[in-house]
Amino acid sequence: MNLPTRVKIVDVGPRDGLQNEKQPVPAEVKIGLVQRLQDAGLREIEVTSYVSPKWVPQMADNHEVMAGIRRDSGVRYSVLTPNLKGFEAAVLDQPDEIVVFGAASEAFSQKNINCSIAESIERFAPVVEAARARGIHVRGAMSCTVGCPYEGEVAPAKVGYLAGLMKGIGVQRVDVADTIGVGTPRKVRAAFEATLGHFGIDQVSGHFHDTYGQALANTLAALELGVWNFQSSVSGLGGCPYAKGATGNVATEDVVFMLHGMGIATGIDLDRLIDAGQYISGFLGRKSGSRVATAVLNKRG
Ligand code: HMG
Ligand code: MG
């Protein structure tokens, strides 16, 4: 086994976690969440996205949120930019990293960003070039790397194909995303192996939605390959508007508990993270989606 000794987590809660929320979440609450995440030790936070407000109304306050967060020099703040229009809007807010997001399945690409995989790469290429010219890091999210809500199972070759296209336009690192949480360890491993044909182990991260309760097992499968970058969402918030029924990312609290239990460092203070989760769950008026947070809160009494 090739287990890493430390792991870096991007909390995607403010973006992936909240994008699908039907009730309006004020910018002030999103800013409060980002603050609590960085106070808990998160060193990478996905803050918002610059997408069409008609498609994803919850992210329409991107400028306000980015302007309101108190930036810590040790933290990387990333944002989603699907095209040049989004990038031009984002750049005004000086993100540390932008994320272009494609899919390994054609149908999901169409539903999510209204274009084919090939067209998406054409749209991303000038975004990547402009970002890199300004010294902004570039990440590529790859959706549906094991399963697609419209096409079913996705072959690893499709993941490898997308990873190669991303690499070809200058994307620096990629997320292997299980958008609908149907992945199981061997399939997730195959998706990573296909990606590793194009990117090094330090340039790949796991992004697992926990719809079917497989995300921690999939995290372990990726760890065993040597993957040490993961994305998760505080309280297990979220879902994608274009993946019906898919629930949130694996809860950051659950990933941190597992890693610390395995002796793998994250730099995250679990108690403060649980407080961050309570803050947002309290606002949303629902219980935490994290098993670990629930257990710890029950013990706190
Ligand atoms: P489109 O309709 O094909 O774009 O949308 P268009 O260029 O034809 O423009 C149509 C209208 O959108 C125009 O406005 C544009 O100005 C506007 P109108 O003239 O009609 O008033 N527009 C924009 N407005 C704001 N920001 C922009 C922008 N671009 C065009 N950047 C587009 C294409 C990608 C914009 C659209 O399909 C969209 O916004 N989709 C939403 C995608 C999204 O946010 N999905 C969720 C995030 S991805 C995800 O959750 C997966 C991930 O977590 C990994 C995983 O789990 O799999 C990352
Ligand atoms: Mg996601």
Side-chain angles (χ1 to χ4, degrees):
M1 278 214 277
N2 209 5
L3 289 178
T5 54
R6 75 181 171 98
V7 154
K8 196 154 192 190
I9 296 179
V10 185
D11 197 291
V12 297
R15 195 282 303 171
D16 205 341
L18 295 178
Q19 69 182 7
N20 209 21
E21 277 301 326
K22 296 292 168 273
Q23 57 176 310
V25 180
E28 187 191 321
V29 172
K30 295 171 182 164
I31 293 163
L33 176 60
V34 170
Q35 184 65 47
R36 284 163 177 79
L37 290 172
Q38 65 195 38
D39 289 347
L42 266 301
R43 287 296 162 263
E44 292 203 36
I45 303 172
E46 204 170 87
V47 180
T48 187
S49 56
Y50 296 77
V51 297
S52 163
K54 286 183 192 148
W55 287 59
V56 186
Q58 187 64 258
M59 297 286 107
D61 57 2
N62 42 33
H63 287 303
E64 206 180 335
V65 174
M66 281 297 279
I69 57 176
R70 214 188 64 217
R71 290 171 73 148
D72 185 328
S73 60
V75 179
R76 184 182 285 194
Y77 302 91
S78 54
V79 303
L80 267 56
T81 57
N83 53 19
L84 263 183
K85 187 177 169 80
F87 176 76
E88 279 157 12
V91 95
L92 303 173
D93 299 326
Q94 299 183 305
D96 300 305
E97 182 174 62
I98 56 109
V99 184
V100 291
F101 49 105
S105 98
E106 281 294 346
F108 191 79
S109 181
Q110 289 290 352
K111 296 273 187 197
N112 194 38
I113 50 175
N114 207 23
C115 62
S116 68
I117 295 171
E119 284 163 347
S120 75
I121 294 294
E122 278 172 33
R123 288 183 189 180
F124 300 156
V127 174
V128 174
E129 199 186 328
R132 294 200 57 183
R134 288 170 183 263
I136 300 172
H137 296 279
V138 177
R139 177 152 56 86
M142 304 194 297
S143 288
C144 299
T145 59
V146 281
C148 167
Y150 312 103
E151 291 181 10
E153 202 153 318
V154 173
K158 292 191 174 175
V159 181
Y161 174 69
L162 178 63
L165 293 175
M166 291 263 189
K167 181 79 183 179
I169 58 169
V171 168
Q172 293 166 294
R173 57 180 189 150
V174 284
D175 312 332
V176 176
D178 181 7
T179 313
I180 53 171
V182 291
T184 41
R186 281 186 173 156
K187 289 181 189 167
V188 165
R189 189 185 170 100
F192 271 100
E193 283 167 349
T195 305
L196 289 168
H198 304 275
F199 287 90
I201 198 73
D202 299 341
Q203 281 88 47
V204 298
S205 61
H207 176 118
F208 307 128
H209 285 260
D210 202 23
T211 316
Y212 288 82
Q214 304 300 302
L216 282 182
N218 293 336
T219 301
L220 182 57
L223 284 168
E224 286 175 359
L225 282 175
V227 174
W228 59 278
N229 285 282
F230 291 92
Q231 295 162 7
S232 56
S233 191
V234 67
S235 263
L237 295 173
C240 175
Y242 304 102
K244 195 171 185 298
T247 59
N249 295 86
V250 62
T252 309
E253 297 92 320
D254 296 3
V255 177
V256 167
F257 183 86
M258 182 180 90
L259 293 170
H260 289 182
M262 294 172 72
I264 299 173
T266 65
I268 295 169
D269 179 327
L270 181 58
D271 274 308
R272 295 187 83 172
L273 179 64
I274 290 170
D275 294 341
Q278 278 300 90
Y279 166 80
I280 191 64
S281 300
F283 174 83
L284 296 171
R286 78 174 73 112
K287 285 190 170 165
S288 174
S290 159
R291 302 283 287 267
V292 167
T294 304
V296 171
L297 290 166
N298 284 342
K299 255 172 70 177
R300 276 189 197 168

